[in-house]
Amino acid sequence: MESIQQRAAAFERDLDRRQLRANGHDWSYYLGGQGIPVLLLPGGAGIAISWLDLTPALLPDFTVLTADYPATATSFDELADGLIAVLDAEHIESVHLIGQSAGGMLAEVLSRRAPRRIESIVFTGTGLYGPEDIERLKTRVAATESTPWEQTRAAARQALRAAWRDSAEAEFWVGQVDAAYDRAGRQGSANALRWLLDLAERLPELQQQPPWQGPTLIVRSDDDPLITETHTGRLRALHPHTEFEAFPTGGHSLLVTRPADYAAVVTGFLRRRTTG
């Protein structure tokens, strides 16, 4: 198997990096491949390269689009509107969505803001935050804004190492996320927490409104330390006919800890939606 550095280089080689100014934010995104478009939404660190182990499985048959989230955005609504602008700029009518962690939360928001542009959704390592998370997220926003920045980054690195303890490539990913924090700065990191806080506070509104109705798959690991069964259960309640796949182990990011298993489940779902 190629090293993580070689796979990262292949990601950069196989996808074109493009820029767009949209709705007051600067977007950097990647596009490549051919065929039916798939939009990959990374987690809270907002780094497109997090999909480097899924894109090779998609590129033979799909057009792949993914993005680095702009640090200036303060809500999932702003991110969703920016992604719609990216789709418009690339003349992409509709996409299959795959969202990991915070990217799955963004997928839920995006599907409601542009339902006719969504063909299917794969939610992985994700759910919906709610009342039990509000005070914790408020505390984290305040701490991010007031704690010495290097101390905050050190705590983040420690948490990531714990979350990815089952991966031999954890240090590569810790480095990627730490670099993203460095680029975003204190305010950008606080903004990323605001996406989550805004969603938690708006949960009753989301639950009262009709969700997007279409083919969905939810994938989770039973030992996910960050997303609880309650969080995932809220998604399942909104999408009662969803397919569901649970792994007994794998932590928060199956794409990092079990990339082959993850790719098999996700690409299998996509091919069932796009062939026949």
Side-chain angles (χ1 to χ4, degrees):
M1 183 178 182
E2 292 184 326
S3 70
I4 187 69
Q5 290 78 15
Q6 290 172 314
R7 283 149 36 218
F11 175 89
E12 297 281 356
R13 181 190 66 237
D14 293 340
L15 300 178
D16 294 331
R17 187 170 187 171
R18 305 184 180 185
Q19 307 290 329
L20 180 71
R21 177 75 176 176
N23 304 324
H25 305 294
D26 292 316
W27 282 84
S28 177
Y29 62 96
Y30 295 79
L31 182 68
Q34 58 185 356
I36 298 169
V38 178
L39 174 57
L40 307 177
L41 304 178
I47 49 175
I49 201 171
S50 62
W51 295 106
L52 65 85
D53 279 327
L54 182 62
T55 50
L58 295 174
L59 285 175
D61 303 304
F62 298 94
T63 294
V64 173
L65 172 64
T66 186
D68 296 325
Y69 300 147
T72 49
T74 59
S75 71
F76 284 125
D77 288 342
E78 291 181 39
L79 293 177
D81 289 345
L83 288 166
I84 293 168
V86 170
L87 295 180
D88 289 341
E90 296 296 339
H91 308 289
I92 296 175
E93 181 91 15
S94 62
V95 294
H96 295 268
L97 282 180
I98 304 175
Q100 162 65 21
S101 190
M105 302 176 195
L106 174 56
E108 180 67 30
V109 173
L110 178 56
S111 70
R112 291 164 180 256
R113 294 182 81 80
R116 295 182 180 179
R117 305 189 75 159
I118 309 305
E119 298 291 339
S120 72
I121 307 176
V122 180
F123 298 101
T124 70
T126 193
L128 294 175
Y129 283 165
E132 74 278 12
D133 300 294
I134 291 175
E135 288 308 313
R136 173 179 61 85
L137 291 169
K138 286 182 176 178
T139 298
R140 288 189 63 192
V141 170
T144 300
E145 293 182 324
S146 62
T147 304
W149 181 227
E150 285 307 315
Q151 183 177 330
T152 298
R153 289 177 61 184
R157 289 191 291 269
Q158 182 178 359
L160 290 168
R161 289 187 176 104
W164 291 331
R165 63 185 181 276
D166 297 327
S167 173
E169 298 170 338
E171 284 307 308
F172 172 87
W173 292 113
V174 170
Q176 291 292 318
V177 175
D178 190 50
Y181 285 161
D182 188 42
R183 292 191 298 270
R186 181 197 304 275
Q187 196 56 54
S189 297
N191 285 343
L193 292 168
R194 288 190 175 91
W195 311 338
L196 306 175
L197 176 58
D198 177 65
L199 187 71
E201 292 177 330
R202 291 171 49 202
L203 178 66
E205 172 190 339
L206 291 177
Q207 291 173 321
Q208 290 170 9
Q209 295 174 349
W212 178 83
Q213 298 295 327
T216 59
L217 168 66
I218 295 175
V219 184
R220 69 166 276 119
S221 173
D222 291 337
D223 64 349
D224 190 330
L226 303 181
I227 298 294
T228 69
E229 290 186 4
T230 297
H231 296 145
T232 304
R234 291 181 179 127
L235 266 184
R236 297 185 73 178
L238 287 173
H239 304 279
H241 303 297
T242 188
E243 297 181 34
F244 183 72
E245 184 87 25
F247 288 84
T249 61
H252 182 55
S253 180
L254 288 161
L255 183 55
V256 172
T257 59
R258 303 179 65 162
D261 293 333
Y262 181 94
V265 169
V266 170
T267 58
F269 173 83
L270 287 176
R271 291 192 169 92
R272 292 195 300 275
R273 305 280 76 76
T274 58
T275 61

